[in-house]
Coordinates of all heavy atoms in Angstrom, one line a residue:
L7 N -10.0 1.3 -16.3 CA -10.5 0.1 -15.7 C -11.3 -0.8 -16.6 O -11.2 -2.1 -16.5 CB -11.4 0.4 -14.5 CG -10.7 0.6 -13.1 CD1 -9.8 1.8 -13.1 CD2 -11.7 0.7 -12.0
M8 N -11.9 -0.3 -17.6 CA -12.8 -1.1 -18.5 C -12.0 -2.0 -19.4 O -12.5 -2.9 -20.0 CB -13.7 -0.2 -19.3 CG -14.6 0.7 -18.5 SD -15.5 -0.1 -17.2 CE -16.7 -1.1 -18.1
G9 N -10.7 -1.7 -19.5 CA -9.8 -2.5 -20.4 C -8.7 -3.2 -19.6 O -7.7 -3.6 -20.2
M10 N -8.9 -3.3 -18.3 CA -7.8 -3.9 -17.5 C -7.4 -5.3 -17.9 O -6.3 -5.8 -17.8 CB -8.2 -3.9 -16.0 CG -8.2 -2.6 -15.4 SD -8.3 -2.7 -13.6 CE -9.9 -3.6 -13.4
N11 N -8.4 -6.1 -18.5 CA -8.2 -7.5 -18.8 C -7.6 -7.7 -20.2 O -7.4 -8.8 -20.6 CB -9.5 -8.2 -18.7 CG -10.6 -7.7 -19.7 OD1 -10.7 -6.4 -19.8 ND2 -11.3 -8.5 -20.3
L12 N -7.4 -6.6 -20.9 CA -7.0 -6.7 -22.3 C -5.6 -6.2 -22.5 O -5.1 -5.3 -21.7 CB -7.9 -5.9 -23.2 CG -9.4 -6.4 -23.3 CD1 -10.2 -5.4 -24.1 CD2 -9.4 -7.8 -24.0
G13 N -4.9 -6.7 -23.5 CA -3.5 -6.3 -23.7 C -3.4 -4.9 -24.3 O -4.4 -4.3 -24.8
E14 N -2.2 -4.3 -24.3 CA -2.0 -3.0 -24.8 C -2.3 -2.8 -26.2 O -2.7 -1.7 -26.7 CB -0.6 -2.5 -24.4 CG -0.3 -2.4 -22.9 CD 1.1 -2.0 -22.6 OE1 2.0 -2.0 -23.6 OE2 1.5 -1.8 -21.5
R15 N -2.2 -3.9 -27.0 CA -2.5 -3.8 -28.5 C -3.9 -3.5 -28.7 O -4.3 -3.0 -29.8 CB -2.0 -5.0 -29.2 CG -2.9 -6.2 -29.1 CD -2.3 -7.3 -30.0 NE -3.2 -8.5 -30.1 CZ -3.3 -9.5 -29.3 NH1 -2.5 -9.5 -28.2 NH2 -4.1 -10.5 -29.5
F16 N -4.8 -3.7 -27.8 CA -6.2 -3.4 -27.9 C -6.6 -2.1 -27.1 O -7.7 -1.8 -27.0 CB -7.1 -4.5 -27.3 CG -6.9 -5.8 -28.1 CD1 -6.5 -7.0 -27.5 CD2 -7.3 -5.9 -29.4 CE1 -6.3 -8.2 -28.2 CE2 -7.1 -7.1 -30.1 CZ -6.7 -8.2 -29.5
G17 N -5.6 -1.4 -26.6 CA -5.8 -0.2 -25.8 C -6.1 -0.5 -24.4 O -6.5 0.4 -23.6
G18 N -5.9 -1.8 -23.9 CA -6.0 -2.1 -22.5 C -4.8 -1.8 -21.7 O -3.8 -1.3 -22.2
L19 N -4.9 -2.0 -20.4 CA -3.8 -1.8 -19.5 C -2.7 -2.9 -19.6 O -1.6 -2.7 -19.1 CB -4.3 -1.6 -18.1 CG -5.2 -0.4 -17.8 CD1 -5.6 -0.3 -16.3 CD2 -4.4 0.9 -18.2
G20 N -3.1 -4.0 -20.1 CA -2.1 -5.1 -20.2 C -1.7 -5.7 -18.8 O -0.5 -6.1 -18.7
L21 N -2.6 -5.7 -17.9 CA -2.2 -6.1 -16.5 C -2.0 -7.7 -16.5 O -2.6 -8.4 -17.2 CB -3.3 -5.8 -15.5 CG -3.6 -4.4 -15.2 CD1 -4.6 -4.2 -14.1 CD2 -2.3 -3.6 -14.8
S22 N -1.0 -8.1 -15.7 CA -0.8 -9.5 -15.5 C -2.0 -10.1 -14.7 O -2.8 -9.4 -14.2 CB 0.5 -9.8 -14.7 OG 0.4 -9.2 -13.4
G23 N -2.1 -11.4 -14.7 CA -3.2 -12.1 -14.0 C -3.3 -11.7 -12.5 O -4.3 -11.3 -12.0
P24 N -2.1 -11.7 -11.8 CA -2.2 -11.3 -10.4 C -2.5 -9.8 -10.2 O -3.3 -9.5 -9.2 CB -0.7 -11.5 -9.9 CG -0.2 -12.6 -10.8 CD -0.8 -12.3 -12.1
A25 N -2.1 -8.9 -11.0 CA -2.4 -7.5 -10.9 C -3.9 -7.3 -11.2 O -4.6 -6.5 -10.5 CB -1.6 -6.7 -11.8
L26 N -4.4 -8.0 -12.2 CA -5.9 -7.9 -12.5 C -6.7 -8.4 -11.3 O -7.7 -7.8 -10.9 CB -6.2 -8.6 -13.8 CG -7.7 -8.7 -14.2 CD1 -8.2 -7.3 -14.4 CD2 -7.8 -9.5 -15.4
Y27 N -6.2 -9.5 -10.7 CA -6.9 -10.1 -9.6 C -7.0 -9.1 -8.5 O -8.1 -8.9 -7.9 CB -6.1 -11.3 -9.1 CG -6.8 -12.0 -7.9 CD1 -7.8 -13.0 -8.1 CD2 -6.4 -11.7 -6.6 CE1 -8.4 -13.6 -7.0 CE2 -7.0 -12.3 -5.5 CZ -8.0 -13.2 -5.8 OH -8.6 -13.8 -4.7
R28 N -5.9 -8.4 -8.1 CA -5.9 -7.4 -7.0 C -6.8 -6.2 -7.4 O -7.5 -5.7 -6.5 CB -4.5 -7.0 -6.7 CG -4.4 -6.0 -5.6 CD -5.0 -6.5 -4.3 NE -5.0 -5.6 -3.2 CZ -5.8 -5.6 -2.1 NH1 -6.7 -6.6 -2.0 NH2 -5.7 -4.7 -1.2
A29 N -6.8 -5.8 -8.6 CA -7.6 -4.7 -9.0 C -9.1 -5.0 -8.8 O -9.9 -4.2 -8.3 CB -7.3 -4.3 -10.5
V30 N -9.5 -6.2 -9.2 CA -10.9 -6.6 -9.1 C -11.2 -6.7 -7.6 O -12.3 -6.3 -7.2 CB -11.2 -7.9 -9.8 CG1 -12.6 -8.4 -9.5 CG2 -11.0 -7.7 -11.3
E31 N -10.3 -7.2 -6.8 CA -10.5 -7.3 -5.4 C -10.9 -5.9 -4.8 O -11.8 -5.8 -4.0 CB -9.3 -7.8 -4.7 CG -9.2 -9.3 -4.4 CD -8.1 -9.6 -3.4 OE1 -7.0 -8.9 -3.4 OE2 -8.3 -10.6 -2.7
L32 N -10.1 -4.9 -5.2 CA -10.2 -3.6 -4.6 C -11.6 -3.0 -5.0 O -12.3 -2.4 -4.2 CB -9.1 -2.7 -5.1 CG -7.7 -3.0 -4.5 CD1 -6.6 -2.3 -5.3 CD2 -7.7 -2.6 -3.0
V33 N -12.0 -3.1 -6.3 CA -13.3 -2.6 -6.7 C -14.4 -3.3 -5.9 O -15.3 -2.7 -5.4 CB -13.4 -2.8 -8.2 CG1 -14.9 -2.4 -8.6 CG2 -12.4 -1.9 -9.0
A34 N -14.3 -4.6 -5.8 CA -15.4 -5.4 -5.1 C -15.5 -5.0 -3.7 O -16.6 -4.9 -3.1 CB -15.2 -6.9 -5.3
G35 N -14.3 -4.9 -3.0 CA -14.3 -4.5 -1.6 C -15.0 -3.2 -1.3 O -15.5 -3.0 -0.2
A36 N -14.9 -2.3 -2.3 CA -15.5 -1.0 -2.2 C -17.0 -1.0 -2.6 O -17.9 -0.4 -1.9 CB -14.8 0.0 -3.0
C37 N -17.3 -1.7 -3.7 CA -18.7 -1.8 -4.2 C -18.9 -3.0 -5.0 O -18.4 -3.1 -6.1 CB -19.1 -0.5 -5.0 SG -20.7 -0.5 -5.6
G38 N -19.6 -4.0 -4.4 CA -19.8 -5.2 -5.1 C -20.6 -5.1 -6.4 O -20.3 -5.7 -7.4
S39 N -21.6 -4.1 -6.5 CA -22.3 -3.9 -7.7 C -21.5 -3.4 -8.8 O -21.6 -3.8 -10.0 CB -23.5 -2.9 -7.4 OG -24.4 -3.5 -6.5
T40 N -20.6 -2.5 -8.5 CA -19.7 -2.0 -9.5 C -18.8 -3.1 -10.1 O -18.5 -3.2 -11.3 CB -18.9 -0.8 -9.0 OG1 -19.7 0.2 -8.5 CG2 -18.0 -0.2 -10.1
A41 N -18.3 -3.9 -9.2 CA -17.4 -5.1 -9.6 C -18.2 -6.0 -10.5 O -17.7 -6.6 -11.5 CB -16.9 -5.8 -8.4
S42 N -19.5 -6.2 -10.2 CA -20.3 -7.1 -11.0 C -20.5 -6.5 -12.4 O -20.4 -7.3 -13.4 CB -21.7 -7.2 -10.3 OG -22.6 -8.0 -11.1
M43 N -20.8 -5.3 -12.5 CA -20.9 -4.6 -13.8 C -19.6 -4.7 -14.6 O -19.6 -5.1 -15.8 CB -21.3 -3.2 -13.6 CG -21.5 -2.4 -14.9 SD -20.0 -1.5 -15.5 CE -19.7 -0.3 -14.1
L44 N -18.5 -4.5 -13.9 CA -17.2 -4.5 -14.6 C -16.8 -5.8 -15.1 O -16.4 -6.0 -16.2 CB -16.1 -4.0 -13.6 CG -14.7 -4.0 -14.0 CD1 -14.5 -3.0 -15.2 CD2 -13.8 -3.6 -12.8

């Protein structure tokens, strides 16, 4: 999760913009504080 916004060449997940958007939505819906830190 800590590298969701980065490409695979940096060791990130390389998610597209829409996929990253949904991932952040899910974290925030569960715990806003965790999404804030992330």
